[in-house]
Amino acid sequence: MTKDTHIFDQVIDQKEAITQLRKSAQKPVHAYLFVGPKGSCRWEAAKAFSALILGDQDLSENSDRSQKLALQGDHPDLIKIDPSGNQYRDEDVQRLINEASRSPIEGSKKIIVANRFHTANPTAVGRLLKTLEEPPPHLKFIFATTEVKKIPVTIISRCQRFDLHRVPL
């Protein structure tokens, strides 16, 4: 296994979440919910967590490369999807579903980060549920949000939750 001492360097002041993320990366589940206000390092935490998962699938020298690319947000099996407007619409969720159906490019895992998922409308959420309930074995979802109260319980109940707090200035 690759040394991961510095993987969470960009996840500032989130000791408890980092400890939980390290544990979860050892036996990843299919869906996660990263909750935290703006400035809480959600994207940095998602990249670091993904680096652990994507790096551990290949114990050769490629592991370091996989981790480095994931930390930069450039790994081909780490996909970040933002809503195209002010909320996730049907076409944005279709992008999530389409991406979920594609095989990983470099390894055995693929991670999709749905950023600002609290903006998803109910129709869009409904379309995603089948994929979330019966994901391909290679797929891991990370739903990132600032407003957990706006995430439908049907999504929350299928995710392992990680809370991040605002980084002090």
Side-chain angles (χ1 to χ4, degrees):
M1 188 188 306
T2 303
K3 286 181 70 175
D4 63 10
T5 320
H6 300 288
I7 285 187
F8 285 96
D9 283 356
Q10 298 301 310
V11 184
I12 301 164
D13 195 34
Q14 304 289 347
K15 187 176 179 179
E16 185 177 322
I18 290 169
T19 300
Q20 293 173 337
L21 288 166
R22 284 184 190 281
K23 278 185 190 175
S24 185
Q26 294 171 9
K27 290 185 181 179
V29 297
H30 74 284
Y32 298 89
L33 182 63
F34 284 26
V35 179
K38 188 173 183 174
S40 62
C41 302
R42 282 183 323 277
W43 174 231
E44 289 79 9
K47 291 187 296 185
F49 183 61
S50 297
L52 286 177
I53 293 170
L54 296 171
D56 280 349
Q57 66 186 341
D58 180 1
L59 299 180
S60 70
E61 66 277 356
N62 288 335
S63 181
D64 289 336
R65 178 185 171 280
S66 288
Q67 287 185 344
K68 181 180 176 187
L69 287 174
L71 289 171
Q72 294 169 348
D74 293 331
H75 195 289
D77 295 324
L78 172 59
I79 311 299
K80 181 182 181 193
I81 297 182
D82 288 295
S84 55
N86 61 357
Q87 70 174 357
Y88 275 86
R89 294 187 167 82
D90 289 344
E91 59 269 14
D92 298 314
V93 169
Q94 190 60 51
R95 283 178 35 223
L96 282 168
I97 293 167
N98 290 347
E99 199 58 58
S101 69
R102 294 186 183 112
S103 297
I105 295 171
E106 286 196 6
S108 61
K109 301 281 185 243
K110 180 178 205 168
I111 301 167
I112 299 175
V113 179
N115 194 34
R116 296 181 22 226
F117 199 72
H118 58 275
T119 66
N121 69 42
T123 304
V125 169
R127 291 189 59 223
L128 181 62
L129 279 179
K130 180 165 176 51
T131 303
L132 185 57
E133 289 171 345
E134 300 172 16
H138 64 266
L139 184 64
K140 310 297 177 204
F141 276 110
I142 298 174
F143 297 97
T145 184
T146 58
E147 301 178 49
V148 72
K149 291 179 182 176
K150 292 185 178 181
I151 302 286
V153 70
T154 54
I155 299 292
I156 293 172
S157 67
R158 289 162 174 82
C159 296
Q160 184 176 355
R161 179 175 168 170
F162 294 97
D163 291 301
L164 301 151
H165 57 269
R166 184 179 311 278
V167 175
L169 299 175

